[in-house]
Amino acid sequence: MDASLEKIADPTLAEMGKNLKEAMKMLEDGQRTEEENGKKLVSGDIPGPLQGRIQNIGEQGHMALLGHSLGAYISTLDKEKLRKLTTRILSDTTLWLCRIFRYENGCAYFHEEEREGLTKICRLAIHSRYEDFVVDGFNVLYNKKPVIYLSAAARPGLGQYLCNQLGLPFPCLCRVPCNTVFGSQHQMDVAFLEKLIKDDTERGKLPLLLVANAGTSAVGHTDKIGRLKELCEQYGMWLHVEGVNLATLALGYVSSSVLAATKCDSMTMTPGPWLGLPAVPAVTLYKHDDPALTLVAGLTSNKPADKLRALPLWLSLQYLGLDGIVERIKHACQLSQRLQESLKKVNHIKILVEEELSSPVVVFRFSQELPGSDAVVKAVPAANMVPSPSGRERHACDALNRWLGEQLKQLVPASGLTVMDLEVEGTCVRFSPLMTAAALGTRGEDVDQLVAGIQSKLPVLSCTLQLRGEFKQEVEGTAGLLYVDDPNWPGIGVVRYEHANDDKSSLKSDPEGKEIHTGLLKKLNELESDLTFKIGPEYKSMKSCLYVGMASDDIDIAELVETIAATAREIEENSRLLENMTEVVRKGIQEAQVELQKANEERLLEEGVLRQIPVVGSVLNWFSPVQALQKGRTFNLTAGSLESTEPIYVYKAQSTGVTPPPTPSGTRTKQRFTGQKPFKRSLRGSDALSETSSVSHIEDLEKVERLSSEPEPNTPEASTPKGHPGTPSPQKANQTENLQKGAQCPDDQPQVEEPENLR
């Protein structure tokens, strides 16, 4: 860089080079770290509220940011020096980009918005095809409407943006579908495009421009640009290419489909993300011979401020050099190839790749292994991928892939993974190092960690997907439970308990149901199983549901569903008892008051009126006492009824009332050993058996499991212990002795006295 600056004869450029050297020296000094007072200080830290929040952008990033400050300094020069300097910066940057990316004799337009370059190209195409457009304006377009062709795999919102910027109606856009039979399902269907062009020509329309992809925004597939270029030349159309795969033009080996982009009329590139340069503009390279039309279209400008947009990129390219640029792009491509080769060896992972092409974008997804397929699922081209016939399985896999992508992003933040939804394949995970590796500093070790993370998550995904169907069947066959189909939940499933007052037709929130599900969640979490539970609103309503998480081991779904139903039923009955307690007590008090009033009236009739007079009543009671029974009422909370207190005074014992109903429980009771967690299907896979367990201990456990599964015998002979058939058992001998002792006792003699303190 210093040698190139010394060759510049202009004194302004020489002075700027001197200042640039000083800035580089300050930058190198700022990268050094020093130890002060035992604390490691980095001079690059920014004090104030932005401290610790600025991304580590590296030296090349500092150069790009320095270009913006230097541009403000250069703008203060006099007009003549400013014109020469900005022209030199613009021409040098354009020449370097055209040589690096093999675009000969091209011009460059630098812009902040990525889609702005395509807008200017469309205006240039309109001015080139409609000669009277400058004079007559849109009246020329009314007689022969222009048509802009976009691929169905183009980035979302591109067509609407073009129409808004150009002032064209939406019928001027034509969406070209992708291949459906042969080739990639993310490539433009060339035969169908030719048919559309012929139909538009016959209707009096003008095919104006075609936007092709060299690396689609979704999966990085490249259109057949060579065939599209021939079609555009045949019908006089403008061919514009964009995509992330254009970065590979700087490498020594380039695929033929991407190399054909060098023959197109224009292309838009984003060197900022490719090279890890912040605040660097996008570039649109184009070929056109008429400078007047390019000036009218806005691709060129005489303003020095517009030319200074290239200054940050000019500094960055000189700092990196050709070797540095190629090395960064090559490193990103090697990362994608490394991940692609590693994923081919992982079971249940399908990769969306182009046939016989090395795409720098890797898109993969978890997919259930079909019966009879090979143990290793190899990479399948997108054209050969057929979506699952069951929509339910498709939604289940989408939810699991969404969960997998989020887990991998947290596990390896430097990978730059993104989760996306494709129309045909469903939810997938994308790895595009060309757009993220330079900024995040992705290395080969990160790719290996990513593959290890995928392998560690596969058992959980496979086990959960296999248990979802069984969980649905068990829930649908259990009374009181309703299966909720939530396509966004990656766990085993979602279930809702329908209580007695549940309004099935209503979609509003149910407070009683929410209270039951909250208690159910608390009870299930107390079991300390490997499953995770949570509650939340239903997918299509506001009613509370229980969400069962993912499973990493073989789970006994029948036991799980029975436990959920029994626990929810118990909580509902307990809540009913608490709710009815107030009403029962209130009614009991009212009934007791009525009974006491009747008892007082009966006592008045029995004793007479004279005994109620204070003095006379005392005299009568002294001569003739009244022998009245002590009557009262007691309220039984268990039975919810009033009872007389006469047995308490007569028999000196309090009534036991009605026995409360037993607590409901599941019909299946499973014997669990020490250390074995709930809902485990088998003893062998439980944590109760360690690697150091003896063989005899295992056999004992198997015998206990086999004995617990056998039915209890009903005949006395089956319960007789081993030994002589005539020998009575100790329990039977004790029972016989007790019966004989009981027969010797007289019938009128009570065996047990009721204690008086039971009152």
Side-chain angles (χ1 to χ4, degrees), residues 283-352:
V283 184
T284 297
L285 302 179
Y286 63 95
K287 297 178 182 179
H288 201 271
D289 299 333
D290 194 345
L293 292 181
T294 57
L295 182 62
V296 173
L299 290 171
T300 57
S301 175
N302 295 326
K303 297 180 181 180
D306 295 338
K307 297 180 180 180
L308 281 176
R309 293 178 183 173
L311 181 58
L313 190 57
W314 182 78
L315 291 175
S316 301
L317 292 178
Q318 290 192 89
Y319 178 80
L320 292 174
L322 179 60
D323 295 338
I325 296 171
V326 174
E327 181 63 27
R328 288 176 177 269
I329 298 176
K330 184 179 180 180
H331 173 68
C333 295
Q334 289 176 349
L335 290 177
S336 61
Q337 293 176 3
R338 185 171 184 171
L339 178 62
Q340 181 174 324
E341 293 297 328
S342 300
L343 290 181
K344 289 180 180 179
K345 305 174 184 178
V346 180
N347 295 343
H348 309 295
I349 294 295
K350 289 187 177 181
I351 313 173
L352 280 67

Side-chain angles (χ1 to χ4, degrees), residues 686-705:
S686 65
D687 297 336
L689 301 180
S690 60
E691 296 179 357
T692 59
S693 299
S694 62
V695 178
S696 61
H697 181 59
I698 297 177
E699 293 177 354
D700 293 341
L701 290 177
E702 292 179 349
K703 291 179 180 179
V704 172
E705 184 182 8

Side-chain angles (χ1 to χ4, degrees), residues 125 201 211 351 643 655:
T201 304
V211 181
I351 313 173
E643 297 177 359
S655 176

Side-chain angles (χ1 to χ4, degrees), residues 168-181:
L168 297 176
F170 289 119
C172 292
L173 289 176
C174 182
R175 190 178 182 88
V176 183
C178 296
N179 297 323
T180 56
V181 180

